[in-house]
Amino acid sequence: MEEKKVRKRIPKESKVRAELQKEINSCCPFCSNDDVGHFEIHHIDENPSNNEIKNLILLCPLCHSKITKGDISNFDVLKRKFELVTTPLNIDKQDKNSINFNAKVGNAIIGDNNKVTIKKPAKMPKAKYPEGCIGYDTTKANYIGHLIKRYNEYKEYEIGKDGMNYGAFGAVLKREFKIAPTRTIYNVPIERFEELSFYIQGRIDKTKLARVKGREHKNYSTFEEYKADVG
Ligand SMILES: [Zn+2]
């Protein structure tokens, strides 16, 4: 059943609007118009109820209508938004080129909200894995978890939270690596760890966000870097 999309108003004085205005340096990100009092908020994923800051861009009414008419493509909007959040103006410290797109609006509007954060690796499920499985090796298992999470973050940026099925990618991996449905991806034999890592890395590189960021952008740590990081 499709959820009804409800437009929640974003008042002109709101912190979100102030944040978006700061992000564009009070100029329309497409035409440099600076009549910022009349600017409008565009929902990048076209879901009016998704008021997460990463889904919003403030722009002049003319450029807003160009987006609506398709004269400015969704891809260009996504690209522009990405450029805005990655400008030195908005990022104090670009740690390993990784940007936290998971920030909730509530967090995103407090203080140095656009600060880059590296989230702690997802905890492994508590299940016991037999020797010879990736799940038996905590570091390797956590690295796989880290890659899967990164894939979902990139995918979420592309299709929005509402469209996400967070378990879907795990199912794809299990099929690809011939793991029974009742088991998990951590049941993959340890000899196939590299193969599994490369496969997920390749899938991350093929996401729209990875392509927007460009080839020189680093989308994930290598296993060696990851190991060094978690100590
Ligand atoms: Zn404009």
Side-chain angles (χ1 to χ4, degrees), residues 28-33 39 59-64 66:
C28 174
F30 295 97
C31 74
S32 303
N33 178 334
F39 280 12
L59 77 179
C60 80
L62 189 68
C63 291
H64 198 183
K66 281 186 188 167

Side-chain angles (χ1 to χ4, degrees), residues 179-193:
I179 297 297
T182 52
R183 303 194 155 190
T184 82
I185 196 62
Y186 302 100
N187 282 105
V188 168
I190 198 85
E191 306 86 65
R192 299 189 75 188
F193 169 72

Side-chain angles (χ1 to χ4, degrees), residues 40-87:
E40 299 168 356
I41 292 174
H42 172 65
H43 290 79
I44 298 169
D45 71 355
E46 285 167 2
N47 171 3
S49 69
N50 181 2
N51 288 335
E52 281 196 85
I53 214 142
K54 68 178 182 184
N55 188 46
L56 304 173
I57 190 166
L58 190 66
L59 77 179
C60 80
L62 189 68
C63 291
H64 198 183
S65 71
K66 281 186 188 167
I67 296 174
T68 316
K69 281 185 279 179
D71 293 341
I72 297 174
S73 73
N74 290 340
F75 187 77
D76 287 338
V77 178
L78 188 68
K79 190 165 188 271
R80 197 68 191 91
K81 173 71 178 181
F82 182 75
E83 286 164 359
L84 290 171
V85 296
T86 52
T87 54

Side-chain angles (χ1 to χ4, degrees), residues 27-221:
C27 282
C28 174
F30 295 97
C31 74
S32 303
N33 178 334
D34 60 3
D35 186 14
V36 76
H38 292 108
F39 280 12
E40 299 168 356
I41 292 174
H42 172 65
H43 290 79
I44 298 169
D45 71 355
E46 285 167 2
N47 171 3
S49 69
N50 181 2
N51 288 335
E52 281 196 85
I53 214 142
K54 68 178 182 184
N55 188 46
L56 304 173
I57 190 166
L58 190 66
L59 77 179
C60 80
L62 189 68
C63 291
H64 198 183
S65 71
K66 281 186 188 167
I67 296 174
T68 316
K69 281 185 279 179
D71 293 341
I72 297 174
S73 73
N74 290 340
F75 187 77
D76 287 338
V77 178
L78 188 68
K79 190 165 188 271
R80 197 68 191 91
K81 173 71 178 181
F82 182 75
E83 286 164 359
L84 290 171
V85 296
T86 52
T87 54
L89 183 81
N90 290 311
I91 287 186
D92 309 317
K93 180 171 155 250
Q94 197 154 348
D95 195 359
K96 289 192 190 291
N97 287 333
S98 196
I99 288 146
N100 174 21
F101 278 110
N102 264 346
K104 294 268 188 295
V105 172
N107 299 330
I109 55 176
I110 297 165
D112 53 350
N113 52 293
N114 278 317
K115 198 172 161 185
V116 173
T117 59
I118 302 274
K119 290 218 170 171
K120 286 246 160 63
K123 288 274 173 292
M124 274 288 301
K126 285 234 158 61
K128 286 258 187 210
Y129 290 90
E131 220 172 326
C133 290
I134 289 174
Y136 190 76
D137 182 322
T138 311
T139 311
K140 285 184 175 168
N142 281 338
Y143 180 64
I144 295 298
H146 156 80
L147 289 177
I148 293 174
K149 192 159 162 282
R150 178 56 47 88
Y151 174 84
N152 279 328
E153 282 167 6
Y154 272 44
K155 211 64 193 167
E156 186 189 298
Y157 192 78
E158 184 179 320
I159 63 182
K161 266 195 165 58
D162 289 354
M164 281 299 290
N165 172 359
Y166 295 92
F169 189 52
V172 167
L173 293 175
K174 283 202 284 182
R175 217 174 310 131
E176 192 68 28
F177 285 79
K178 300 198 166 39
I179 297 297
T182 52
R183 303 194 155 190
T184 82
I185 196 62
Y186 302 100
N187 282 105
V188 168
I190 198 85
E191 306 86 65
R192 299 189 75 188
F193 169 72
E194 284 210 326
E195 194 189 338
L196 178 60
S197 302
F198 288 146
Y199 180 81
I200 306 171
Q201 289 168 0
R203 290 293 302 261
I204 296 170
D205 291 335
K206 276 187 217 141
T207 60
K208 205 176 196 174
L209 183 57
R211 282 180 283 138
V212 170
K213 288 182 178 191
R215 207 169 295 174
E216 66 284 0
H217 184 92
K218 214 154 166 276
N219 297 313
Y220 42 77
S221 309

